Amino acid sequence: MLDIKDRKWKDFFIEEIATINSGRDIYEAERKKGNNPYVSSSSVNNGICHFVSNENATMEAGCISVNRNGSVGYAFYHPYKALYSNDCRKLRLKYPNKYVAIFITTQITAQRGKYSYGYKMGTGRLKRQKIMLPIDKNGNPDYAFMEQYIKEREKQIIQKYISYIGKNAEKSVGGGGGGFSD
């Protein structure tokens, strides 16, 4: 079991590990209902505020959104294609990896307390925002550790869920053999 306490850590500017792009607003009058997630500045639903059929240059999968307005400082990973509003910033990791992205979103979100509606996390501030990351023997971000750490946590959550489902399935069929009959 990997432990974050066993690692050396170092602070990195976000611009060292990701490119940062602005989103583009799709105003209410322009929005057409559809299936494309439109990420804005919500702290819930992975930041998704609408589903639209619109498309623009911000559409991309495998990115992190960081709220710069509204629920400032929340970060979410989007493995699916999505559109990004100007109320968030889209980060493209220089080391693109789902598990690393999830690790980094937690580190970014941990900084949200210093931001507010009056002190937004705009592009300039986001570039210079430091986050702590585990490092390898050369002092670089230890992406392999981040990936394995998140994979272990994911496996723990899945095992916990399977156990919960198994216990409740037994209860729902009377606690007997746990199977279904033909």
Side-chain angles (χ1 to χ4, degrees):
M1 177 78 63
L2 295 174
D3 190 346
I4 58 175
K5 294 176 187 171
D6 295 338
R7 309 304 297 180
K8 289 187 179 181
W9 293 69
K10 180 178 152 188
D11 56 355
F12 293 88
F13 290 114
I14 291 177
E15 70 179 345
E16 293 178 285
I17 60 167
T19 58
I20 302 167
N21 299 95
S22 295
R24 182 187 294 165
D25 289 329
I26 302 172
Y27 299 105
E28 188 172 356
E30 302 170 315
R31 280 185 223 130
K32 300 173 200 154
K33 289 188 181 201
N35 295 321
N36 298 326
Y38 180 54
V39 179
S40 192
S41 60
S42 176
S43 63
V44 297
N45 300 324
N46 233 34
I48 299 169
C49 291
H50 304 283
F51 285 89
V52 299
S53 62
N54 305 64
E55 291 189 15
N56 64 35
T58 70
M59 183 166 300
E60 191 171 353
C63 296
I64 294 173
S65 66
V66 182
N67 296 351
R68 65 171 286 276
N69 202 4
S71 298
V72 180
Y74 283 87
F76 301 101
Y77 173 64
H78 306 277
Y80 41 81
K81 282 188 176 182
L83 297 161
Y84 300 85
S85 83
N86 196 41
D87 284 335
C88 65
R89 292 295 176 256
K90 179 175 73 170
L91 278 60
R92 211 177 284 120
L93 293 179
K94 294 179 181 177
Y95 183 90
N97 177 286
K98 167 187 170 178
Y99 299 100
V100 169
I102 292 168
F103 191 99
I104 289 173
T105 60
T106 61
Q107 295 305 98
I108 294 171
T109 300
Q111 299 294 320
R112 76 178 188 273
K114 67 195 265 185
Y115 296 96
S116 66
Y117 186 79
Y119 189 69
K120 295 181 182 183
M121 188 185 268
T123 304
R125 287 186 181 135
L126 190 56
K127 285 181 178 181
R128 304 309 293 166
Q129 174 63 57
K130 289 182 179 180
I131 58 171
M132 296 294 292
L133 296 174
I135 57 172
D136 62 19
K137 63 183 178 185
N138 298 318
N140 298 314
D142 192 344
Y143 295 117
F145 172 82
M146 289 182 243
E147 179 177 354
Q148 289 308 310
Y149 182 81
I150 295 299
K151 282 182 176 179
E152 280 188 9
R153 297 308 165 272
E154 181 181 63
K155 185 177 177 183
Q156 287 174 337
I157 291 168
I158 290 169
Q159 288 172 338
K160 190 175 181 179
Y161 180 72
I162 290 170
S163 175
Y164 173 81
I165 294 298
K167 288 176 186 174
N168 286 308
E170 286 179 22
K171 289 178 188 176
S172 69
V173 292
F180 297 94
S181 61
D182 291 331

